[in-house]
Amino acid sequence: MWTPPKKFWGDSINTPLSTSTASPRPALGLASGKLILAGEHSVVYDRPAIALPFTRLNARARISSIDGPSRVSSGYYEGTLDDAPDILSGMVDCIRATVKAVGHPGEHLMIQVDSTIPTGRGLGSSAAVAASAVRGIAAYYGAVLSHEEEMDLVRIAEVHAHGTPSGIDAEAVVSTGPFRFVKDRPVTPLQVGRAMHLVVADSGLRGNTRAAVEGVRCRFEKERAATETHLDQLAAVVDDVQRALREGDAELLGLSMNVAQRELSAICVSDSALDSLIVEALQAGALGAKITGSGLGGCIVALAPDAESVAPLASALRSAGAQETWPVVVHERNVEEAQ
Ligand code: MEV
């Protein structure tokens, strides 16, 4: 079990008084949304993927002290941790594991979670909410969790939400820029030779990551050789995307996104609403477009040729039925966008 470093004990502001309602000051935990640029689904099968933080959208958890049993307040539920509905069981387990990891009983806590990340859209809502709570609780108790400890705790909520998460969402929501990810390995931050201008468009339809991942699993078991070929193609795209980012080659990035979409369609994780947004994006001048995240609902991401083309592309996508669009600039560090 993780033990708090000595330096945190005796701090006059944050001294934990775990068995009393007197307690440290309120603390905030933050995490952003996420975008997968390449490698969704294939990453579950040990292939590489590329993701980045989507800092325009975020989750924040405010942790403070209350009298009585610990409570959680979120868009879904307001009440005690003990009475939280099943839909929040992953989050509750994650919170309980976090207070245990920082060496506290976790009594008398108010955990208030607010998120601007739409749920079920492949934008990392569940991982971000969990990461914000983990970070908020650690900050509240003046504890420092290692990156691995943070990831293990977020994973508890992700397993409830997704079944067999690769871990890419948890990494992305706390990352500061684009990175290459392979399951169970440290991430590699990526170089970006020139800023790339993306538009994310929400189909407005909720996806279900668990169902999409299970669908691919069924296909993998029934048509192993063909599915392996698609997964290998998706892995090859990841190498091309990495090179395109490094060399600032927007044409190659767009082309790679289109190849990825063809492969993702072949494993049946796109749908007609996403396909029509992708067609619209390409007709409106995007260099490439694909689903982002688990698909079967959720969002697409399209690459604009330059900064000037972002607004007309977003407008074309909204006219074609996108419920919401967001511009995203891919830099080596994406944290600035949060401001
Ligand atoms: C979900 O954001 C990404 C998937 O690849 C699942 C995972 O990696 O856990 C579909």
Side-chain angles (χ1 to χ4, degrees), residues 106-185:
E107 290 161 356
H108 315 301
L109 291 182
M110 179 70 209
I111 299 148
Q112 189 182 338
V113 183
D114 294 299
S115 173
T116 57
I117 310 167
T119 56
R121 304 300 208 284
L123 300 179
S125 164
S126 59
V129 165
S132 70
V134 168
R135 293 183 143 196
I137 291 166
Y140 179 78
Y141 287 119
V144 177
L145 294 170
S146 71
H147 182 67
E148 288 67 34
E149 286 161 340
E150 209 171 73
M151 292 296 97
D152 286 349
L153 291 164
V154 174
R155 189 179 165 80
I156 294 170
E158 286 289 273
V159 166
H160 278 260
H162 296 176
T164 52
S166 65
I168 191 169
D169 289 16
E171 289 286 354
V173 299
V174 299
S175 64
T176 55
F179 62 91
R180 182 182 172 107
F181 174 90
V182 178
K183 207 161 72 176
D184 300 326
R185 299 218 204 125

Side-chain angles (χ1 to χ4, degrees), residues 34 36 39-44 122 162 164-169 209 213 293-294:
K34 71 106 209 303
I36 298 184
E40 49 271 271
H41 288 288
S42 46
V43 70
V44 174
H162 296 176
T164 52
S166 65
I168 191 169
D169 289 16
T209 301
V213 169
S294 59

Side-chain angles (χ1 to χ4, degrees), residues 34-256:
K34 71 106 209 303
L35 269 187
I36 298 184
L37 210 46
E40 49 271 271
H41 288 288
S42 46
V43 70
V44 174
Y45 298 84
D46 302 316
R47 271 69 169 190
I50 290 176
L52 62 143
F54 187 177
T55 52
R56 241 164 238 285
L57 302 176
N58 56 55
R60 60 179 60 210
R62 184 178 187 275
I63 317 296
S64 56
S65 73
I66 48 163
D67 290 330
S70 292
R71 295 176 74 81
V72 62
S73 160
S74 74
Y76 284 108
Y77 170 74
E78 158 88 59
T80 64
L81 266 189
D82 288 342
D83 295 330
D86 280 353
I87 189 166
L88 287 185
S89 60
M91 187 65 185
V92 170
D93 287 354
C94 168
I95 290 168
R96 290 199 199 288
T98 305
V99 289
K100 197 167 167 214
V102 298
H104 286 267
E107 290 161 356
H108 315 301
L109 291 182
M110 179 70 209
I111 299 148
Q112 189 182 338
V113 183
D114 294 299
S115 173
T116 57
I117 310 167
T119 56
R121 304 300 208 284
L123 300 179
S125 164
S126 59
V129 165
S132 70
V134 168
R135 293 183 143 196
I137 291 166
Y140 179 78
Y141 287 119
V144 177
L145 294 170
S146 71
H147 182 67
E148 288 67 34
E149 286 161 340
E150 209 171 73
M151 292 296 97
D152 286 349
L153 291 164
V154 174
R155 189 179 165 80
I156 294 170
E158 286 289 273
V159 166
H160 278 260
H162 296 176
T164 52
S166 65
I168 191 169
D169 289 16
E171 289 286 354
V173 299
V174 299
S175 64
T176 55
F179 62 91
R180 182 182 172 107
F181 174 90
V182 178
K183 207 161 72 176
D184 300 326
R185 299 218 204 125
V187 304
T188 311
L190 295 183
Q191 292 176 331
V192 180
R194 175 158 75 91
M196 297 289 173
H197 298 275
L198 304 173
V199 176
V200 177
D202 182 3
S203 69
L205 302 172
R206 282 181 66 91
N208 178 332
T209 301
R210 183 186 283 268
V213 169
E214 273 168 16
V216 176
R217 171 76 56 199
C218 267
R219 184 164 290 273
F220 184 79
E221 276 157 15
K222 280 201 201 120
E223 300 167 22
R224 176 87 182 235
T227 309
E228 290 270 17
T229 305
H230 294 307
L231 300 175
D232 286 340
Q233 293 293 342
L234 286 164
V237 167
V238 167
D239 290 339
D240 289 342
V241 168
Q242 184 169 348
R243 183 156 66 85
L245 290 179
R246 189 178 61 237
E247 294 174 2
D249 187 339
E251 298 284 339
L252 176 61
L253 179 57
L255 198 68
S256 309

